[in-house]
Amino acid sequence: MVELGLISLRALQLPRLLILCFFVILGNFHKAEARIRHYKWEAKYEFRSPDCFKKLVITINGKTPGPSIQAQEGDTIIVQVNNSLVTENLSIHWHGIRQIGTPWFDGTEGVTQCPILPGDTFIYQFVVDRVSYKNLTHMIQSYISNNLRYVIMQGHNMTVVEADGHYVEPFVVKNLFIYSGETYSVTVKSDQDPSRNYWITSNVVSRNRSTPAGLGMFNYYPNHPKRSPPTVPPSPPAWHDVEPRLAQSFSIKARQGYIHKPPTTSDRVIVLLNTQNNISEYRHWSVNNVSFTLPHTPYLIALKENINGAFDSTPPPDGYDFANYDIFSVASNANATSSSGIYRLKFNTTVDIILQNANTMTKTNSETHPWHLHGHDFWVLGYGKGKFDVNNDTKKYNLENPIMKNTVPVHPFGWTALRFRTDNPGVWAFHCHIESHFYMGMGVVFEEGVERVGKLPSSIMGCGQTRGFHGP
């Protein structure tokens, strides 16, 4: 599906929780004094027909996708959220907003806040910290948390000009691959036969397709917008063909004039092996053979209020058995375990993350994982095939014009290298953005400079060991 300038609503289900994830559409409309923008939202179930079949869906103020927030840098956003879902907890994550100075409003239950209980109201308040999507022609969002998708516009090329709120050196694609949590802006030149409309098609990649392609139309005025094109929709790319997807990843570079160069070296390197394991006969996704679990007491509160025993004190490993682990084979994962331990990062340092993909519990199978970092943008230093070679692959890093993003894929049987600064005090989730993968353990949490975080609002408390902390 293609959304033009609309915010997208995605449900991310975690234990005891429903997270609604919003993209805030930001712009530089006309530079003006910062404003305070108030919103009242009610989340509830209603019957809708998003795919022509009536079903029970989650709406915000009766809408799905939910309402838009349009703002500019420096604006204060205040959203009063009423949870009318009756049986489910709720929180809202503001995807791409770094929450500088307000880490408690990141909206990640178990990490930064307790959930909003059915019937309760919660108020989010934060400042838009930077301009994101700037009056570009089309914003295409990967809005379905379970899917990695392609988009084709019949007879037209797309010029990619922005990714995750950062200008890119323009490049042309016929198929645009979008991974869950990413955003792209493209321009399209309407230079074809104006007497007809053209198909827009979209479907999944990385997994074999079991559903027909989603269809839309590129309308040439004055043709009726529902007038079907006279030709069949374009053929999709092969679902298992990694090469064009990898080529797109390599093409994304920061645009000249908008380059923010990364530090040339890092202070710490963490390698995260993406794979599966079995724990107590149940299938889990894992990182370095550790399947992540959320605690009942949110990390931010536990660390700031010095609550002992709220989560596992042993940190997860910084790597795996590089020499002996075969990423192309099903591993026995004899040491597989689950943990709520977190990475404690030194404040104001530079950290490299190497995402290493490997075989799942199915032979000759490795899946694409889009990883999203809360509280930061990171530099994408490089991609590669096979096992990451610390002695040679680091020499291939792009330190001249790497794009900054908040969500990035690691391709099957490959690796992706990231770099970021630990300059935003708080506790931040870093996880696969496919909801079922995160739910099943593919995620980690970073703490940085928590002692610098201001006084926590009592509204985020009330669960786990913070029962009784909650106040008006």
Side-chain angles (χ1 to χ4, degrees), residues 274-292 325 330-339 359-363 440-441:
N274 292 212
T275 187
Q276 288 180 324
N277 56 40
N278 288 327
I279 302 175
S280 302
E281 300 182 358
Y282 289 96
R283 184 64 48 86
H284 290 255
W285 288 100
S286 63
V287 177
N288 294 341
N289 288 345
V290 177
S291 186
F292 177 70
Y325 195 100
V330 176
S332 61
N333 292 333
N335 61 334
T337 184
S338 61
S339 174
N359 208 100
T360 65
M361 297 295 285
T362 302
K363 289 183 179 180
M440 296 168 66

Side-chain angles (χ1 to χ4, degrees), residues 245-259:
R245 293 188 272 140
L246 191 60
Q248 177 179 304
S249 294
F250 277 120
S251 296
I252 303 174
K253 304 290 192 300
R255 185 170 183 173
Q256 293 297 318
Y258 298 90
I259 296 173

Side-chain angles (χ1 to χ4, degrees), residues 34-85:
R35 294 178 54 187
I36 300 176
R37 301 175 185 268
H38 293 266
Y39 301 88
K40 288 186 178 181
W41 289 358
E42 181 184 22
K44 63 180 179 180
Y45 283 115
E46 295 186 65
F47 282 98
R48 292 287 187 272
S49 304
D51 56 358
C52 303
F53 295 93
K54 184 173 285 188
K55 61 184 68 176
L56 198 63
V57 302
I58 296 170
T59 64
I60 299 291
N61 294 352
K63 297 180 179 180
T64 181
S68 297
I69 291 179
Q70 293 190 343
Q72 65 178 12
E73 184 176 354
D75 285 357
T76 297
I77 307 298
I78 301 175
V79 184
Q80 178 180 303
V81 180
N82 181 38
N83 181 8
S84 297
L85 294 175

Side-chain angles (χ1 to χ4, degrees), residues 1-13:
M1 177 180 177
V2 177
E3 279 194 302
L4 305 183
L6 291 178
I7 209 164
S8 64
L9 169 66
R10 293 165 305 141
L12 177 61
Q13 296 202 6

